[in-house]
Amino acid sequence: MIYAVELENISKTFPGGVRANKNITLRIEQGEVHALLGENGAGKTTLMNILYGLLSKDEGRILIKGEEVDLRSPYDAIVRGVGMVHQHFKLIPTLTVTENVVLGLEPVGTVRGIDEAFSEKHLSKLLPINYHGAAEKIKQIAEENGLDVDPYAKVQDISVGLQQRVEIIKTLYRAADILILDEPTSVLTPQEVDELFVTLGKFKKAGRTIILITHKLREPMILADRITVLRDGALVGTVDRQDTSPADLAKMMVGRPVVFTVEKGPANPGPVVLSVEDLRVEDNRGLMRVDGVSLEVRAGEILGIAGVEGNGQTELVEAIAGLRKPKGGIIRVDGVDIAGKSPREVRAAGVSHIPEDRHKRGLILGFTIAENLTLGRHYEPPYATGPLHSLLDRKASAELSNKLVDDFSIRVSGIDAEATTLSGGNQQKVVVARELASRPKLVLAAQPTRGLDVGATEYIHSVLIAMRDQGTAVLLVSAELDEIRSLSDRIAVIFGGRIVALRDPEQAAPEELGLLMAGHLDGAQEEGSVQ
Amino acid sequence: MSDLDAGNQAVQEQRPPESILNRLKRYVEKVLNSVDSMMRNPAFRKQIIWTSASIVLAMLVAAIIMVLTGYNPALAYIALIRGAVVQWDRVLFYATPLIFTGLSVALAFKCGLFNIGPEGQLYMGAMAAAIIGYMVSLPIVVHPLACLTVAALAGFGYGFVPGLLKAYRGAHEVVTTMMLSYTAILFTQWLVTYPLKEPGEFQWIAQTPLLFPTAWLPHLFGSDFLHAGLIIALFAVVGVHFLINRTVLGYELRAVGLNAEAARTAGINPKWNIALSLGIAGALAGVGGGAEILGYHHRFRDAWSTGLGWDGITVAVLGHNNPWGVLLGAIFFGALRAGGNSMQVNTGVPQEMVTVIQGLIVVFVAAPRIIDWLEKRGIDYSAWIRRSPMGGIGHLATTVWAAGSAIEAMIIISFFLEKTPFAGLLVALAIIVGFYALTKLLAQNPAGPVVSLFTAVEWILIATVAALLGSSDMVYFTAPTAVIGIAVSLMTVMSSRASTQKAGGN
């Protein structure tokens, strides 16, 4: 049989010595849905980037539809029908959907029609671009595949789920029949995930080959025909879906049996630590994102805020952390009003913040690990000494860093290594370790396990539970419903900037929560009061 | 007393004098250890190689330019180096203000800001120092310190304003600092031409009255140029190093420079730090200006600075925004300047060549990819030559010839244009086709050698025209060019034909 893609003996070592792919041989059949499963850092994205021409391989052969290819750039892969939807979207936010989709394949003129318009000849680059025709073609592709999107909307104005659709349309616009999707569901609601699965089913029926990169165990079990597991850069095995189970897959991924449910004792809530009353927060463009939210979190309890991204959770957490000035309302921590105060003052009041984007807000990648671990408390003793606490006490910060690295089992080559050398999971561990080390009264955990593998997620969950048991109040915001349900003592559903429901995790079914998250209030049970 | 007690007592008596020596030894060990670990760090080694390679490349290109303009590069460089070594006091003298302005740019860069205004900050500081220097009478030691303090404050203010504008209004500091430079230069020019002018007879260059001698900084080592500003500059280097690496403020500046969002989330105030960093940068440049006035000029002269602020930017780039790198870079530039003087005097090569070298260094340092590309090319070529010597050497030779012939055509075109327009057109065509061949060759496009063959044929025509015009000099130039061109191009074309036939292509 002709395989859609054959990767033979692919090896790739990054400068710095990281062996991302070790002699991987993988054959993907035409028309199948093939899941590539593995923890963060296992080498799945690297392998697919090699297939897509974004990275060069050190050794091995690549055959696409039976033809051996030497990929110099994604262009070589694209003309052979390979399309990739990346985990971090390659979209330009300030341009429209149409402009993003045609980027690199701009249709010029209307004389010869869209399909043959791309030309390497230099002069045709001076001709005007036919956006209208492109938009028509995009609408057509969108309708055929059930991926409705407004071609003239700016990417920065549409939701994350829609942005992902644009990415998929990009591949279809280039007539891709081998689709690589890198962690597609990490940004979607449960409903959007279902819609995506339907779309992928349609693609499969149309004969397209789908390679799905994921670290979630549920998805391959639903979607895939065959599943390949990578671990630490090497291929552990390829199995048929019906011959395996999530437990088997997890064991292959991690190398040891994995515990799925979080061990959690009953909560012992104490006095109210965080009290939010009628909070109203606007975003950068003046739109009201938090529209009168009131909630309470007690010491020793975890309040989980379930909601699809973009419903105000980000602004809510930013307002409590002092990063955004609320338009109205009261935020009290232990009775102290912190609304509108600077982040430093909020921290001094005993609030720690695990930001949802560790690269943007959590870590300073150019700093060493030790410097990152003292970030936020660097100006206080014992990390600052000397007159007016103006000098850094390197020894104290080294002591703290070593202790935290030990306590949290962070895999580092040394505390003076740069933070960029850490894997995603370890970077998040650094952020969590740092935030929890100050023994806060309240922890704001926003998407704490986003992009992390099973092992790291397990660890962070256990840490949050431990903090809860020691009497810390935890406000957990997550788009992963499973995480919310397994960790929280109470669940609040946010939609459109308002808390639309409060539920007990034992009694709330995921379907009901999913509906509430999507804003369907009828059919759901009556919402309780906000305490 | 038992032996043990006696022994203990003896040890205790011996301890005090040893401890100072030991501490010194430990400190030296620490420094050596950190230097050792720096050397082991591959990124650091790469930076050193890249900087050295840039300097070498720049001097190579400058040598080519010297040849083309009729000078002898070997003699020129020898004069340059000799001049720098013999006049080492001048080297350090030229370097002193560059250290200050380089530190200024480097410090601002640690906070992610491009300080393009050290020239203006220099002038403001210099004017402030001059004013305190001649208007106020203070005892020795106090006077220069007061002048320099005021210079620092003036520079600080002048840097703080664009810092505030950037922090609170988002005004890009490149624009504001650069524009404010001109404002400062012209403002001080007005000051020195009208209100603060030295009273008395007419002067060609406006200047303030002479500073009180109590304000002067002493000269060092009996030199007429080198002054104590150097010592202050060295302290500034250590100070900036200390500030950046050992203080909380330095930590916050670096945090804001690397990731302002994360810094803000952690409670650091980015706006304040941005403003402060530009202020301190301005203060450094201001002190530099003040030191020059106090140490050398002893009065504020209109346009006294020969681009010291702008050169500071170059020095910071060369030093990779590291205070010690800035020190080395400033000394290097000082050496170029002092040597350049001597080069001009002894070999006639104009001093502007030094500026050319400085500019080329910046191009190469700022474009590490050129070095990477050259390295990759070098590796490619050596592999090629090993595989098929004729093809590899031929291609390399053809590329060099194409470049050389294009340059040569640019030199001789004026001669031909004078004689007949047709001949000029021919040479112009040779330039264009020569560059086209060069681009094809560099892209390893198989059409490259063919195009260069075509160019070589053109050169035969040019040589013929030169012969017809009766200019034997021109024939001496153009005929060999043509012959070499034909030879190497033919060699490359033939060998590539042979190899494709061997591989079974067509």
Side-chain angles (χ1 to χ4, degrees):
Chain A
M1 77 157 83
I2 300 237
Y3 290 103
V5 170
E6 286 173 85
L7 299 161
E8 287 180 7
N9 303 109
I10 302 285
S11 289
K12 170 87 186 169
T13 304
F14 284 117
V18 176
R19 292 182 64 199
N21 289 139
K22 300 174 193 162
N23 203 2
I24 297 182
T25 299
L26 179 60
R27 293 196 172 79
I28 314 242
E29 297 168 13
Q30 261 178 355
E32 77 165 337
V33 176
H34 196 108
L36 201 53
L37 192 61
E39 288 196 328
N40 276 91
K44 329 179 277 297
T45 307
T46 307
L47 188 64
M48 288 300 113
N49 277 337
I50 291 176
L51 173 59
Y52 190 56
L54 273 175
L55 291 175
S56 63
K57 57 180 169 17
D58 292 339
E59 283 161 25
R61 290 169 75 211
I62 302 177
L63 290 91
I64 299 181
K65 294 178 195 156
E67 174 202 350
E68 180 166 356
V69 292
D70 179 24
L71 299 165
R72 295 287 180 93
S73 79
Y75 178 73
D76 296 327
I78 293 173
V79 297
R80 288 178 177 81
V82 179
M84 185 159 176
V85 175
H86 301 268
Q87 181 181 9
H88 301 291
F89 302 147
K90 313 261 187 228
L91 295 172
I92 302 179
T94 48
L95 296 182
T96 64
V97 167
T98 310
E99 287 169 329
N100 269 288
V101 170
V102 301
L103 199 60
L105 201 64
E106 295 84 352
V108 295
T110 51
V111 182
R112 281 185 293 160
I114 301 247
D115 295 301
E116 315 130 81
F118 177 68
S119 169
E120 269 195 324
K121 302 196 174 57
H122 299 282
L123 286 180
S124 67
K125 290 198 177 175
L126 295 172
L127 293 173
I129 298 182
N130 177 12
Y131 284 118
H132 191 68
E136 288 300 315
K137 187 170 177 202
I138 290 172
K139 269 215 200 91
Q140 193 191 348
I141 294 175
E143 268 162 42
E144 278 171 18
N145 293 284
L147 295 166
D148 291 312
V149 74
D150 173 11
Y152 295 105
K154 279 199 185 165
V155 163
Q156 66 195 3
D157 293 337
I158 60 179
S159 77
V160 170
L162 287 178
Q163 286 177 356
Q164 195 186 58
R165 283 191 188 171
V166 175
E167 283 274 307
I168 298 178
I169 292 176
K170 259 168 54 172
T171 64
L172 298 175
Y173 186 84
R174 288 156 179 75
D177 48 11
I178 302 171
L179 288 167
I180 310 172
L181 293 122
D182 193 351
E183 308 273 4
T185 61
S186 55
V187 294
L188 302 177
T189 74
Q191 278 77 19
E192 282 175 346
V193 170
D194 290 335
E195 283 167 14
L196 178 67
F197 287 1
V198 166
T199 309
L200 292 179
K202 278 199 205 139
F203 286 169
K204 185 176 164 187
K205 249 197 235 129
R208 298 192 176 112
T209 310
I210 299 174
I211 306 175
L212 189 64
I213 304 178
T214 180
H215 66 268
K216 297 187 192 169
L217 297 169
R218 243 185 41 224
E219 293 162 15
M221 295 306 297
I222 302 174
L223 279 179
D225 298 322
R226 291 194 305 151
I227 305 166
T228 296
V229 178
L230 294 184
R231 187 169 83 225
D232 274 335
L235 191 125
V236 176
T238 304
V239 292
D240 285 342
R241 177 177 39 127
Q242 46 256 50
D243 299 335
T244 188
S245 71
D248 285 338
L249 292 174
K251 188 144 164 245
M252 285 166 91
M253 272 169 65
V254 181
R256 56 176 170 80
V258 174
V259 177
F260 282 115
T261 51
V262 178
E263 304 271 324
K264 197 175 75 158
N268 218 349
V272 171
V273 171
L274 173 69
S275 164
V276 175
E277 281 172 47
D278 198 31
L279 188 65
R280 282 190 306 284
V281 185
E282 282 181 358
D283 69 4
N284 293 337
R285 287 177 290 156
L287 300 171
M288 189 67 73
R289 293 309 216 131
V290 179
D291 203 358
V293 162
S294 304
L295 48 83
E296 272 186 359
V297 187
R298 292 171 179 270
E301 101 174 320
I302 298 182
L303 174 67
I305 305 228
V308 178
E309 282 192 69
N311 276 293
Q313 314 89 308
T314 310
E315 288 78 10
L316 173 67
V317 170
E318 282 177 354
I320 301 176
L323 294 167
R324 197 178 280 279
K325 253 194 151 95
K327 268 282 175 287
I330 302 176
I331 307 173
R332 268 196 261 266
V333 170
D334 247 3
V336 177
D337 188 359
I338 58 166
K341 292 213 173 145
S342 76
R344 190 164 279 194
E345 289 168 315
V346 170
R347 281 170 169 268
V351 179
S352 278
H353 175 42
I354 301 174
E356 60 182 37
D357 188 336
R358 57 179 164 274
H359 284 174
K360 196 168 122 187
R361 286 238 169 105
L363 286 176
I364 297 185
L365 288 172
F367 267 3
T368 64
I369 294 166
E371 287 172 330
N372 270 295
L373 284 171
T374 49
L375 188 63
R377 291 190 293 152
H378 55 279
Y379 62 97
E380 295 174 322
Y383 312 110
T385 64
L388 294 176
H389 300 306
S390 58
L391 300 179
L392 297 173
D393 188 343
R394 292 240 194 101
K395 234 173 41 174
S397 74
E399 267 172 33
L400 171 78
S401 308
N402 281 318
K403 180 168 174 300
L404 287 176
V405 164
D406 271 336
D407 287 347
F408 284 79
S409 315
I410 310 178
R411 289 224 303 259
V412 301
S413 52
I415 56 166
D416 288 322
E418 278 188 18
T420 44
T421 59
L422 292 173
S423 73
N426 283 310
Q427 283 176 349
Q428 187 73 336
K429 279 190 185 179
V430 166
V431 177
V432 171
R434 172 186 85 213
E435 294 300 319
L436 299 184
S438 57
R439 304 212 173 285
K441 296 178 191 156
L442 170 68
V443 172
L444 304 168
Q447 321 284 357
T449 58
R450 168 181 287 169
L452 297 188
D453 53 58
V454 174
T457 305
E458 221 187 351
Y459 187 81
I460 300 225
H461 284 177
S462 65
V463 163
L464 287 173
I465 302 266
M467 294 299 295
R468 172 199 93 161
D469 290 337
Q470 284 172 13
T472 312
V474 179
L475 183 68
L476 173 68
V477 173
S478 177
E480 289 285 332
L481 204 45
D482 294 333
E483 184 173 49
I484 296 270
R485 287 181 61 235
S486 64
L487 282 183
S488 317
D489 301 314
R490 285 187 302 139
I491 300 180
V493 181
I494 192 169
F495 178 78
R498 297 208 178 104
I499 304 284
V500 294
L502 269 177
R503 292 281 180 269
D504 186 340
E506 318 256 313
Q507 286 150 9
E511 297 76 25
E512 186 198 348
L513 289 173
L515 284 170
L516 288 167
M517 280 160 70
H520 298 292
L521 301 173
D522 26 84
Q525 289 172 1
E526 186 189 289
E527 27 183 297
S529 71
V530 217
Q531 260 105 347
Chain B
M1 206 195 287
S2 73
D3 286 323
L4 198 59
D5 287 331
N8 275 344
Q9 203 176 34
V11 168
Q12 272 177 346
E13 277 161 5
Q14 272 182 349
R15 221 177 264 150
E18 232 186 11
S19 70
I20 298 179
L21 192 63
N22 262 348
R23 271 167 61 185
L24 201 64
K25 269 208 303 212
R26 267 191 305 138
Y27 185 70
V28 170
E29 249 179 53
K30 231 173 49 169
V31 169
L32 285 177
N33 268 341
S34 66
V35 171
D36 180 54
S37 68
M38 275 200 309
M39 285 294 166
R40 282 181 204 284
N41 182 350
F44 181 73
R45 277 210 308 263
K46 191 160 180 236
Q47 266 190 352
I48 293 200
I49 293 177
W50 152 30
T51 314
S52 323
S54 311
I55 295 178
V56 167
L57 268 176
M59 302 197 93
L60 209 67
V61 175
I64 295 177
I65 298 178
M66 281 193 238
V67 166
L68 291 177
T69 46
Y71 297 106
N72 185 332
L75 290 179
Y77 281 138
I78 291 175
L80 183 76
I81 297 174
R82 253 188 92 221
V85 168
V86 165
Q87 297 176 311
W88 59 271
D89 60 323
R90 286 209 205 195
V91 169
L92 293 175
F93 163 69
Y94 289 130
T96 307
L98 291 178
I99 297 176
F100 283 109
T101 50
L103 284 177
S104 169
V105 175
L107 181 68
F109 195 75
K110 286 293 177 192
C111 200
L113 301 165
F114 296 100
N115 180 15
I116 312 291
E119 187 80 359
Q121 292 146 10
L122 197 72
Y123 269 83
M124 294 304 263
M127 178 53 83
I131 291 177
I132 303 293
Y134 87 84
M135 283 193 184
V136 176
S137 178
L138 292 170
I140 48 167
V141 177
V142 176
H143 203 171
L145 282 176
C147 292
L148 287 175
T149 311
V150 176
L153 287 173
F156 181 89
Y158 213 62
F160 197 64
V161 168
L164 283 177
L165 286 173
K166 165 86 186 213
Y168 289 94
R169 282 282 167 269
H172 205 290
E173 71 280 3
V174 169
V175 177
T176 47
T177 53
M178 181 157 67
M179 291 291 110
L180 282 175
S181 276
Y182 294 111
T183 312
I185 296 171
L186 292 171
F187 173 62
T188 52
Q189 185 177 64
W190 172 79
L191 278 178
V192 81
T193 317
Y194 297 105
L196 303 180
K197 187 160 164 315
E198 180 174 39
E201 76 249 24
F202 175 78
Q203 307 145 351
W204 285 111
I205 301 177
Q207 57 190 27
T208 65
L210 196 64
L211 265 54
F212 287 116
T214 47
W216 295 9
L217 288 173
H219 284 285
L220 299 175
F221 305 115
S223 161
D224 286 331
F225 294 92
L226 179 57
H227 56 82
L230 177 69
I231 306 198
I232 304 176
L234 292 175
F235 274 118
V237 171
V238 174
V240 168
H241 171 94
F242 190 76
L243 174 73
I244 290 179
N245 293 309
R246 299 304 220 98
T247 62
V248 171
L249 177 62
Y251 178 95
E252 294 195 354
L253 288 181
R254 280 185 297 134
V256 171
L258 286 169
N259 187 342
E261 262 311 306
R264 189 168 156 252
T265 308
I268 299 175
N269 185 342
K271 301 193 175 164
W272 178 240
N273 280 297
I274 287 176
L276 205 58
S277 75
L278 269 181
I280 300 177
L284 280 166
V287 170
E292 276 299 280
I293 299 298
L294 296 181
Y296 181 70
H297 297 279
H298 303 315
R299 56 168 96 234
F300 187 98
R301 273 208 182 87
D302 183 26
W304 62 268
S305 159
T306 48
L308 293 167
W310 314 114
D311 283 344
I313 303 171
T314 315
V315 166
V317 169
L318 188 60
H320 295 295
N321 297 306
N322 176 302
W324 304 100
V326 164
L327 177 64
L328 289 175
I331 294 179
F332 179 70
F333 271 53
L336 279 181
R337 187 116 172 258
N341 272 335
S342 162
M343 185 172 74
Q344 175 160 1
V345 165
N346 289 324
T347 60
V349 176
Q351 220 180 349
E352 280 76 6
M353 190 53 68
V354 166
T355 320
V356 169
I357 295 178
Q358 284 178 345
L360 285 170
I361 291 179
V362 173
V363 167
F364 286 123
V365 167
R369 290 229 177 151
I370 295 185
I371 311 274
D372 284 341
W373 182 82
L374 282 172
E375 194 189 333
K376 191 158 170 287
R377 267 328 182 78
I379 296 175
D380 277 350
Y381 267 122
S382 55
W384 194 350
I385 291 177
R386 239 177 285 145
R387 247 190 6 239
S388 98
M390 210 168 79
I393 296 180
H395 196 273
L396 186 58
T398 316
T399 314
V400 172
W401 178 84
S405 74
I407 297 177
E408 186 185 336
M410 288 196 290
I411 297 176
I412 65 176
I413 189 172
S414 54
F415 170 82
F416 281 94
L417 272 176
E418 282 173 3
K419 303 284 182 164
T420 41
F422 165 72
L425 214 61
L426 201 60
V427 181
L429 194 63
I431 299 176
I432 296 174
V433 181
F435 273 122
Y436 185 63
L438 190 63
T439 51
K440 288 279 180 196
L441 284 166
L442 287 175
Q444 297 195 322
N445 188 311
V450 177
V451 179
S452 82
L453 190 61
F454 185 71
T455 319
V457 168
E458 252 209 82
W459 275 91
I460 297 183
L461 287 174
I462 295 176
T464 327
V465 170
L468 287 176
L469 288 172
S471 156
S472 56
D473 284 334
M474 270 305 149
V475 178
Y476 284 146
F477 271 130
T478 54
T481 312
V483 169
I484 297 175
I486 301 254
V488 294
S489 314
L490 218 53
M491 185 166 109
T492 319
V493 168
M494 281 192 337
S495 91
S496 73
R497 283 265 169 79
S499 65
T500 44
Q501 274 174 355
K502 254 201 291 188
N506 53 343

